[in-house]
Every structure is written in structure tokens, then in C-alpha cells.
Amino acid sequence: GAGVSQSPSNKVTEKGKDVELRCDPISGHTALYWYRQSLGQGLEFLIYFQGNSAPDKSGLPSDRFSAERTGGSVSTLTIQRTQQEDSAVYLCASSPTVKSEQYFGPGTRLTVT
Amino acid sequence: DQQVKQNSPSLSVQEGRISILNCDYTNSMFDYFLWYKKYPAEGPTFLISISSIKDKNEDGRFTVFLNKSAKHLSLHIVPSQPGDSAVYFCAAKAVISSGSARQLTFGSGTQLTVLP
């Protein structure tokens, strides 16, 4: 079956611009996670959605970052007024339940110039 | 403050030999540990996991060992194959204390290169 998909695969933007990154989780997966991986670093948790519950935003690095999940499926991560330190690979993962293994998408490589 | 540490950024081994990847953690609340494998331009894929109630879990060529007293785990791959060349991430989560699995805390990864 189809895995987690993300778009775009690559995004180059100018400092100060807003960007939107999209994640399509595996159908039926109730949990959705956003992580980012900066150069030479491990994956850093950003935000987590579970069903209709309020999202866990504890990993968002600043108020320029926000995410939503519409209809319990597709999620969009928005970064406003991008900065160069936002350059990273942004990874989305989904899992059938909160206790299941997470399945990752291929990521979006964001470069802020 | 890194709660999960992989101190070796890279490792090279000969095909057929054993690969040992190490991981240390500091958070004593972690009770479930996973290894993910990542190829370039792809997302991480789950490899093997271990619960804190065990000290060893084996799946084919892959074995994960957990030493709770030392807060250390390792992944053994034997025999190593060229196709195993990838970045390996150690990850941990606190299932019991958090009430749910929620997010994973990852190490920074180790690039494994298996030489033919």
C-alpha cells in the first residue's frame, strides 16, 4: 500500500518568506508526527497529532512554526518569516495508534537563502 | 541537552564481519528503544526495537542489546552486507510514564559503510 508522502521534496526560499510543507499520512493512521533533521543532527520532534485531540506542540522551536491537520488526515506545517536556521529536512511520520511503530515519509528538504 | 547520544558519526566494516553500533541515553524514564535505518533521500525505516523489560532482541541478522544499568544499547549486524550501508538512528520513548507512546527522541545517527 501507499506509504507516507510529503511535498514538495525540495524547497528553496528566500529569508523572510513563508513556506508550507505537506504530509499525506498512511490511510487510517490516527497519529501523525512532524520532525526535522538539521545538518549533522538527529531528528528533532516538532509536533504531534492524535485523532481529534489537541496537538502536542511542545517541540515547535518558535511561534513562526505552526501545523494543522485537516479531517484527521493531511497535515500542513507552516513556517512564517523563514530564517536560515530553519534550513533542514522536515520529516513526517504516521502510525496506526500512538503505541505503534512510526512510518516516515521521504522528507522535504528546505533551504532558506 | 542530548538525551540520546550516538558518539560515533561513522563506522566502516568489511563485508561478512560484525557491525556494532552504539547508543547511550540519559533519561531514565525511557522504556522503549528502537533502531531506524535511513538511506539518502528516503525517510527512516524501522529496523528493530526492544522494551526495557528485555536485555536482548534478535531478528535475523540484527540483534539489539540493552544494558539498563549503563543506559546503553547496541545494534549488532552479522554478517554485514554492502546493502546495510546507511545511517542508523537510535531512538527512545517513555511509554509508561507518559501514558502514551508519543514522540521519539533520536540520536544524531551513525553512518555505516560496509566495504565489499
Side-chain angles (χ1 to χ4, degrees):
Chain A
V4 177
S5 61
Q6 293 184 245
S7 60
S9 55
N10 279 286
K11 176 72 177 178
V12 180
T13 190
E14 292 180 352
K15 178 181 171 181
K17 301 282 190 183
D18 297 352
V19 294
E20 283 190 355
L21 313 180
R22 177 187 167 107
C23 172
D24 284 88
I26 294 173
S27 177
H29 281 195
T30 61
L32 186 147
Y33 309 77
W34 281 98
Y35 295 86
R36 74 174 175 181
Q37 184 183 14
S38 302
L39 190 64
Q41 302 295 315
L43 280 73
E44 172 192 5
F45 166 74
L46 297 176
I47 189 170
Y48 153 79
F49 296 89
Q50 169 57 33
N52 296 320
S53 303
D56 177 353
K57 304 179 182 180
S58 59
L60 295 179
S62 79
D63 59 8
R64 297 186 294 105
F65 288 71
S66 63
E68 61 178 23
R69 189 178 184 190
T70 53
S73 180
V74 172
S75 177
T76 303
L77 177 70
T78 301
I79 309 173
Q80 296 178 309
R81 305 181 302 282
T82 52
Q83 303 295 312
Q84 288 187 330
E85 61 262 29
D86 299 335
S87 296
V89 176
Y90 288 81
L91 289 153
C92 174
S94 70
S95 62
T97 68
V98 292
K99 294 187 177 181
S100 308
E101 307 309 336
Q102 296 177 24
Y103 297 83
F104 283 82
T108 294
R109 180 174 295 279
L110 174 66
T111 303
V112 181
T113 61
Chain B
D1 177 33
Q2 277 192 297
Q3 297 187 61
V4 178
K5 300 178 184 179
Q6 293 177 257
N7 293 318
S8 298
S10 63
L11 174 69
S12 292
V13 298
Q14 282 301 129
E15 181 178 6
R17 305 295 289 269
I18 185 171
S19 296
I20 300 176
L21 298 111
N22 293 303
C23 177
D24 297 288
Y25 62 96
T26 57
N27 188 341
S28 58
M29 303 302 282
F30 288 146
D31 51 17
Y32 196 73
F33 305 89
L34 308 90
W35 284 94
Y36 280 80
K37 174 175 162 179
K38 186 180 184 301
Y39 293 116
E42 295 183 11
T45 55
F46 169 73
L47 195 57
I48 193 169
S49 63
I50 188 166
S51 164
S52 60
I53 62 173
K54 295 185 176 181
D55 55 18
K56 176 182 175 181
N57 188 26
E58 188 173 353
D59 183 2
R61 296 185 298 113
F62 303 90
T63 303
V64 56
F65 295 92
L66 175 63
N67 182 334
K68 289 187 291 294
S69 60
K71 294 191 177 67
H72 177 84
L73 65 157
S74 61
L75 174 68
H76 292 209
I77 307 173
V78 57
S80 301
Q81 300 173 353
D84 296 330
S85 297
V87 177
Y88 288 78
F89 290 99
C90 169
K93 56 186 177 182
V95 175
I96 296 173
S97 62
S98 71
S100 63
R102 297 199 176 177
Q103 71 269 20
L104 296 167
T105 301
F106 284 84
S108 54
T110 296
Q111 171 69 57
L112 173 66
T113 302
V114 180
L115 304 168

